[in-house]
């Protein structure tokens, strides 16, 4: 059977671990750096959230996608659909989190309410019904119930059904369950099986939203029998949008049912695409529409995928599995498990998840550590090459007649002065580029904020005279979160990309001039390789670092864009206004909301752009160090010493030849090390 997504991820991590250990073995990095990289590999978590309404086949999908076995039972009611987090454990086991005493009191209060008192309000009806069912089932725990509240409980994997099964002993008080499973590919992975949005149990819904904010990928599972109905639209447009999720994948599960009734895969997919497009036009959320426009619905059958993974003896001994096997074999003309998997299309969805994961994780988990390792290797290589160049010059210099030494001394001094001037000029050129980047970036960010504020102002102006202020707070909060977590993040990422490209132009021109100066005044120096090494190191620095940082709340520098977003979101939250709208008349409510929008409008979200100038300082410092401090100044000191101590020329010549031979052997060794590193890719 082909590797699943998680096995591929673990294989990639294993290669990174091997890269890191070899880098330490080669002396490219020290023990501390090795430890930092390995800890990052171990601690990084890939979070995939699976959402959708009940009966869409989420449990079967997860059984195939994660366990490759029938582990999770299907939830039968909203109350029994517990939030589950699946991750790695050395041994199978579970940890359940129970409701707190306060949360349980809230459920008892909800259960005491009359459904008739909220007739017509579907959300309130659901809360009351779920609470009544929950309190009723809690009688199984008797007088011991209170002793569990607010606690966590570890248990054996075999007792999972007691926490997530419809008739489980603890189902009534279980808020979430973490399932530990000894599959290597689950290391560093969390699969969040959400109980569904519009969860009638408020505290559980809040936990779901908290997980979704951290998700690298969100999979919305639809039921092919009635794909993208009103409930699905609510899940996507009223709930996912509030979580700041910028990646949404859509699976149409149980496609085999309409297929069996004569619908083609294309028809099934196009129907969902049409419904999605129609819903996007009606939602007036331009930014959510933007992330959905490239969402390609994927028809699949989780049941068929699971059948392809279970042993045939298990399939044949289970009446439901056996029936499903025969039905699908007839419908799709299948003769074996490989064909069953192919027709399930589970791999199509897995590949879509993989692309999202690589987009989100490649930068942090894989590319940056690899780049830093290669940069360390290149640093060692460049040091050796620099030493070779210096000793070649020394061999040539010690071999020169005395009358030529003074001319060489003068040429190195001239090179030093000219290079110093060119470095100063480089600083001015980079400044000019950065000013333009900051100016255009500020305009772009301010325009994005202004556009969002205008949309919020328009919604406030449409507030009816008898509408509560609180009635539009969710919409305004969603607009703010979208602005912060998607629009500004996307804008800044694009500004960073442009900045990285544009800042390289003056650097490239400068290095060409450096090469010309070195070739003119120090002709026996290998200036081409030297300049290419500097260019490579600066490129690594530019690509590997954040271009924009800002001080965080503790005053530390180097606070990333995520911290900026967090601070901005706290300052712009409409959540602070909740619960106060009814106390104000209509005019005051509108004025108050407009005032809050103006606070958002006046927030300086472009402040982090100014920190780009620190990148200029880093570049100039590196250039000075590599060219002046590590090359020209040592050459100047050595030629001065040679002129002063001409009597020691023969002895110094032999020392330089010996050092040159040693460094040339070291260069061969480093090239072999790079070759061994490339074997791991």
């Amino acid at each position: 059977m082909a590797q699943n997504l998680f096995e591929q991820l673990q294989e990639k991590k294993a290669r990174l671990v091997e890269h890191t250990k070899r880098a330490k073995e080669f002396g490219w990095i020290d023990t501390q750096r090795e430890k930092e990289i390995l800890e990052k590999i171990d601690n990084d978590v890939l979070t995939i959230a699976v959402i959708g309404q009940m009966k869409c086949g989420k449990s079967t999908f997860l059984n195939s996608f994660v366990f490759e076995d029938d582990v999770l039972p299907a939830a039968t009611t909203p109350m029994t659909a517990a939030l589950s987090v699946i991750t790695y454990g050395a041994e199978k086991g579970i940890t359940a989190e129970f409701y707190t005493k306060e949360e349980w009191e809230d459920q008892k209060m909800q259960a005491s309410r009359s459904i008739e008192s909220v007739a017509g309000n579907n959300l309130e009806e659901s809360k009351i019904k779920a609470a009544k069912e929950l309190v009723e089932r809690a009688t199984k725990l008797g007088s011991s119930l209170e002793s569990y509240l607010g606690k966590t409980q570890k248990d054996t994997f075999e007792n999972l059904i007691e926490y997530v099964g419809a008739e489980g002993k603890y189902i009534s008080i279980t808020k979430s369950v973490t399932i530990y499973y000894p599959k290597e590919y689950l290391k560093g992975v969390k699969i969040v099986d959400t109980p569904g949005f519009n969860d009638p149990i408020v505290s559980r819904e809040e936990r779901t939203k908290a997980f979704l904010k951290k998700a690298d990928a969100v999979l919305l599972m639809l039921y092919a029998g009635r794909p993208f109905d009103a409930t699905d639209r609510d899940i996507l447009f009223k709930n996912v949008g509030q979580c700041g999720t910028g990646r949404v994948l859509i699976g149409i599960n149980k496609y085999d049912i309409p297929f069996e009734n004569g619908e083609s895969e294309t028809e099934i997919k196009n129907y969902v695409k049409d419904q999605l497009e129609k819903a996007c036009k009606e939602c007036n959320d331009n930014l959510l529409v933007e992330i959905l426009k490239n969402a390609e619905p994927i028809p699949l059958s989780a049941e068929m995928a699971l059948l392809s993974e279970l042993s045939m003896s298990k399939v044949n001994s289970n009446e439901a599995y056996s029936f499903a096997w025969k039905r699908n074999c007839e419908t799709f003309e299948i003769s074996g498990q490989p064909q069953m998997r192919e027709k399930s299309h589970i791999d199509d969805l897995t590949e879509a998840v993989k692309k999202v994961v690589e987009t989100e994780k490649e930068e942090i988990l894989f590319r940056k550590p690899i780049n830093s390792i290669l940069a360390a290797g290149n640093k060692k290589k460049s040091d050796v090459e620099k030493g070779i160049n210096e000793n070649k010059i020394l061999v040539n210099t010690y071999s020169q007649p005395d009358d030529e030494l003074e001319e060489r001394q003068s040429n190195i001094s001239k090179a030093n002065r000219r290079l110093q001037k060119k470095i100063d000029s480089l600083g001015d050129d980079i400044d000019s580029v950065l000013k333009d980047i900051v100016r255009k970036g500020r305009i772009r960010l301010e325009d994005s904020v202004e556009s969002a504020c205008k949309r919020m102002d328009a919604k406030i102006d449409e507030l009816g005279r008898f509408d509560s202020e609180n009635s539009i707070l969710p919409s305004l909060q969603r607009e703010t979160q979208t602005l912060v977590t998607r629009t500004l993040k996307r804008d800044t990422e694009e500004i960073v990309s442009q900045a990285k490209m544009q800042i390289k132009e003056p650097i490239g021109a400068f290095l060409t001039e450096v090469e010309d100066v070195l070739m003119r005044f120090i002709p026996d120096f290998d200036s081409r390789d030297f300049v290419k090494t500097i260019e490579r190191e600066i490129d690594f620095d530019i690509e590997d670092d954040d271009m924009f940082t800002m001080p965080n709340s503790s005053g530390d520098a180097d606070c990333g864009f995520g911290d900026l977003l967090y601070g901005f979101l706290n300052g712009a939250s409409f959540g602070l206004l909740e619960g106060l709208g009814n106390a104000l008349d209509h005019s005051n409510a509108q004025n108050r909301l407009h005032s809050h929008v103006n606070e958002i409008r006046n927030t300086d979200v472009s402040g982090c752009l100014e920190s780009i100038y620190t990148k200029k300082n880093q570049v100039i410092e590196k250039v000075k160090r590599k060219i002046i401090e590590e090359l020209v100044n040592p050459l100047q000191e050595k030629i001065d010493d040679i002129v002063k101590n001409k009597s020691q020329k023969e002895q110094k010549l032999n020392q330089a030849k010996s050092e040159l031979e040693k460094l040339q052997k070291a260069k061969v060794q480093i090239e072999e090390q790079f070759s061994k590193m490339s074997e791991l890719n």
Side-chain angles (χ1 to χ4, degrees):
M1 189 178 294
Q3 282 185 318
N4 68 22
L5 166 66
F6 311 117
E7 288 171 331
Q8 292 173 21
L9 180 66
Q10 295 307 325
E11 190 175 274
K12 204 167 187 178
K13 284 186 175 184
R15 288 200 299 273
L16 180 53
V17 168
E18 188 62 27
H19 269 99
T20 307
K21 290 183 176 179
R22 282 198 182 181
K24 171 62 171 59
E25 177 188 331
F26 295 157
W28 294 9
I29 59 176
D30 59 20
T31 302
Q32 180 59 33
R33 183 60 182 141
E34 177 191 33
K35 181 181 177 183
E36 289 171 358
I37 295 175
L38 293 178
E39 284 180 351
K40 176 64 179 172
I41 297 170
D42 286 340
N43 296 333
D44 188 79
V45 176
L46 165 67
T47 303
I48 300 175
V50 182
I51 65 176
Q53 57 179 301
M54 291 187 62
K55 308 299 183 183
C56 69
K58 282 192 303 172
S59 297
T60 304
F61 168 73
L62 287 165
N63 281 335
S64 169
F65 186 61
V66 182
F67 298 106
E68 299 170 347
D69 198 359
D70 52 353
V71 170
L72 294 174
T76 57
T77 72
M79 197 278 292
T80 60
L83 186 149
S84 302
V85 180
I86 306 162
T87 191
Y88 172 80
E91 297 179 354
K92 292 180 182 179
I94 59 175
T95 298
E97 179 186 0
F98 298 131
Y99 294 114
T100 65
K101 292 181 179 180
E102 292 77 13
E103 289 167 342
W104 185 249
E105 286 301 319
D106 181 63
Q107 292 308 315
K108 288 165 61 177
M109 183 274 290
Q110 292 284 1
S112 67
R113 297 170 65 193
S114 166
I115 294 179
E116 289 73 20
S117 65
V118 294
N121 187 326
N122 292 335
L123 178 58
E124 290 301 310
E125 285 184 7
S126 296
K127 287 182 180 179
I128 295 172
K129 288 178 181 178
K132 287 182 180 294
E133 182 182 359
L134 185 149
V135 172
E136 181 180 347
R137 295 199 183 198
T139 55
K140 288 184 177 182
L141 295 170
S143 59
S144 64
L145 184 150
E146 292 287 334
S147 65
Y148 293 110
L149 297 178
K151 297 180 181 178
T152 59
Q153 178 167 291
K154 294 182 178 181
D155 208 334
T156 62
F157 183 79
E158 289 70 26
N159 286 334
L160 175 64
I161 197 74
E162 297 292 346
Y163 301 86
V164 299
E167 301 301 323
K169 176 181 178 181
Y170 303 103
I171 187 64
S172 60
I173 60 170
T174 300
K175 183 160 63 174
S176 68
V177 176
T178 300
I179 303 171
Y180 300 97
Y181 208 67
K183 291 278 190 180
E184 287 295 314
Y185 58 67
L186 285 175
K187 286 184 175 179
V189 174
K190 282 186 179 179
I191 313 294
V192 183
D193 176 16
T194 68
F197 279 100
N198 295 328
D199 192 330
I201 302 173
V202 177
S203 59
R204 199 167 60 188
E205 183 177 23
E206 291 304 314
R207 287 296 302 276
T208 297
K209 290 180 178 179
F211 272 110
L212 283 175
K213 287 179 182 178
K214 302 174 184 176
D216 297 292
V218 172
L219 304 183
L220 172 61
M221 299 298 296
L222 309 177
Y223 167 46
R226 53 173 193 281
F228 214 70
D229 61 13
T231 301
D232 292 324
R233 286 197 295 274
D234 282 350
I235 289 173
L236 186 56
F237 290 99
K238 291 185 179 179
N239 293 285
V240 173
Q242 292 183 23
C243 295
T245 301
R247 301 279 183 177
V248 179
L249 299 173
I250 300 175
I252 312 171
N253 196 20
K254 305 184 183 182
Y255 91 99
D256 49 301
I257 296 175
F259 186 89
E260 186 178 19
N261 294 328
E263 289 187 53
S264 68
E265 292 178 41
T266 301
E267 288 173 329
I268 296 168
K269 182 161 62 174
N270 285 344
Y271 174 79
V272 173
K273 290 178 71 173
D274 290 343
Q275 292 300 310
L276 183 61
E277 184 178 347
K278 186 185 299 183
C280 284
K281 289 179 181 178
E282 296 172 356
C283 80
N284 295 320
D285 186 340
N286 295 331
L287 295 169
L288 184 57
V289 169
E290 185 178 336
I291 69 167
L292 291 173
K293 68 182 179 182
N294 295 321
E296 188 73 12
I298 300 173
L300 73 145
S301 171
E303 182 182 58
M304 291 172 67
L306 185 59
L307 290 173
S308 75
E309 294 161 341
L310 298 174
S311 67
M312 285 307 300
S313 61
K314 191 168 188 175
V315 171
N316 292 328
S317 63
N318 183 293
E319 185 177 347
Y321 288 154
S322 178
F323 175 80
W325 175 269
K326 293 174 183 177
R327 181 178 65 82
N328 287 310
C329 284
E330 292 175 3
T331 302
F332 294 95
E333 299 180 354
I334 291 171
S335 59
Q337 286 186 302
Q339 282 184 296
M340 184 70 74
R341 183 169 187 86
E342 179 186 354
K343 291 295 184 180
S344 76
H345 297 316
I346 190 75
D347 292 331
D348 294 343
L349 185 55
T350 299
E351 187 63 29
V353 176
K354 181 182 175 184
K355 287 180 180 178
V356 171
V357 168
E358 288 179 343
T359 299
E360 298 290 337
K361 290 292 178 184
E362 189 77 23
E363 174 73 14
I364 297 172
L365 181 58
F366 299 113
R367 194 167 73 82
K368 282 194 174 184
I370 287 293
N371 277 356
S372 66
I373 288 171
L374 292 178
N378 278 313
K379 170 68 168 58
K380 187 174 181 181
K381 183 180 179 182
S382 69
D383 287 345
V384 169
E385 289 173 341
K386 179 168 72 73
I388 290 173
N389 279 324
E390 288 176 355
N391 281 278
K392 280 182 177 179
I393 293 172
L394 289 174
V395 169
N396 186 55
T397 302
Y398 288 130
S399 302
Q400 289 179 339
D402 291 348
D403 59 348
E404 294 180 9
L405 289 176
E406 292 180 3
E407 182 183 356
R408 186 177 187 85
Q409 186 180 32
S410 175
N411 282 339
I412 293 176
S413 181
K414 289 177 182 177
N416 196 339
R417 290 194 298 272
R418 297 200 179 194
L419 290 170
Q420 289 279 12
K421 288 182 180 179
K422 291 188 180 297
I423 291 172
D424 292 339
S425 179
L426 172 63
D428 294 337
D429 291 342
I430 293 177
D431 259 340
S432 178
V433 170
L434 296 182
K435 284 178 183 176
D436 190 55
I437 291 170
V438 170
R439 179 182 63 81
K440 291 178 179 178
R442 178 177 287 110
I443 292 171
R444 176 168 182 170
L445 295 180
E446 289 175 352
D447 284 349
S448 291
V449 172
E450 179 61 26
S451 295
C453 287
K454 284 182 177 179
R455 288 193 294 271
M456 287 189 278
D457 281 333
K459 291 177 181 179
I460 294 167
D461 289 337
E462 293 171 2
L463 185 65
R465 178 165 296 278
F466 297 104
D467 291 335
S468 163
E469 173 188 324
N470 288 338
S471 65
I472 66 166
L473 286 180
S475 175
L476 299 179
Q477 180 72 0
R478 187 162 56 247
E479 186 76 55
T480 305
Q481 289 181 322
T482 299
L483 167 67
V484 174
T485 59
R486 287 207 291 271
T487 310
L488 294 181
K489 184 173 185 292
R490 179 200 59 205
D491 287 348
T492 305
E493 286 171 349
E494 291 179 7
I495 294 169
V496 166
S497 179
Q498 293 168 6
K500 288 180 176 180
M501 182 171 56
Q502 292 175 29
I503 199 174
K504 291 178 183 180
E505 293 179 10
I507 294 171
F510 162 77
L511 290 174
T512 299
E513 294 176 351
V514 168
E515 187 175 344
D516 291 341
V517 171
L518 293 174
M519 289 178 68
R520 179 180 176 185
F521 292 102
I522 315 176
D524 55 348
F525 177 71
D526 191 351
S527 56
R528 180 161 297 176
D529 278 355
F530 175 73
V531 167
K532 284 187 176 299
T533 297
I534 295 176
E535 185 174 29
R536 186 167 58 241
E537 289 187 18
I538 292 175
D539 280 351
F540 266 124
D541 288 346
I542 290 174
E543 293 296 334
D544 197 45
D545 291 344
D546 291 329
M547 294 293 285
F548 303 123
T549 58
M550 67 176 295
N552 61 23
S553 57
S554 63
D556 297 331
D558 253 7
C559 174
F561 186 68
D563 299 276
L564 167 66
L565 295 181
Y566 181 78
F568 176 70
L569 181 59
N570 274 351
S573 176
F574 281 90
L576 299 174
L577 302 179
E578 291 182 12
L580 300 177
N582 292 329
L584 303 170
D585 62 33
H586 180 261
S587 177
N588 282 341
Q590 286 185 312
N591 289 339
R592 186 165 181 267
L593 290 170
H594 280 308
S595 176
H596 200 62
V597 170
N598 283 331
E599 289 179 18
I600 295 172
R601 183 179 275 115
N602 294 328
T603 301
D604 182 14
V605 296
S606 63
C608 63
L609 300 181
E610 297 293 335
S611 65
I612 194 174
Y613 291 105
T614 61
K615 180 58 63 179
K616 181 203 80 169
N617 297 333
Q618 292 170 12
V619 169
I620 298 300
E621 286 172 9
K622 169 155 279 192
V623 165
K624 279 186 177 179
R625 186 176 72 253
K626 301 296 290 187
I627 297 174
I628 304 299
E629 297 173 14
E630 296 182 8
L631 174 66
V632 179
N633 286 348
L635 286 177
Q636 186 78 60
E637 291 171 3
K638 286 175 182 176
I639 189 67
D640 290 346
D641 182 66
I642 292 170
V643 171
K644 183 179 178 181
N645 301 288
K646 294 177 183 177
S647 61
Q648 300 178 9
K649 280 173 60 178
E650 190 66 30
Q651 178 187 354
K652 297 284 187 181
L653 175 61
N654 290 331
Q655 288 177 353
K657 285 181 177 179
S658 175
E659 183 66 17
L660 178 60
E661 184 180 355
K662 184 172 71 173
L663 289 169
Q664 286 172 331
K665 289 180 180 178
K667 183 179 179 181
V668 171
Q669 184 183 43
I670 292 175
E671 288 172 347
E672 290 175 351
Q673 291 172 349
F674 268 96
S675 178
K676 289 180 180 178
M677 276 292 194
S678 66
E679 294 172 359
L680 298 176
N681 294 330

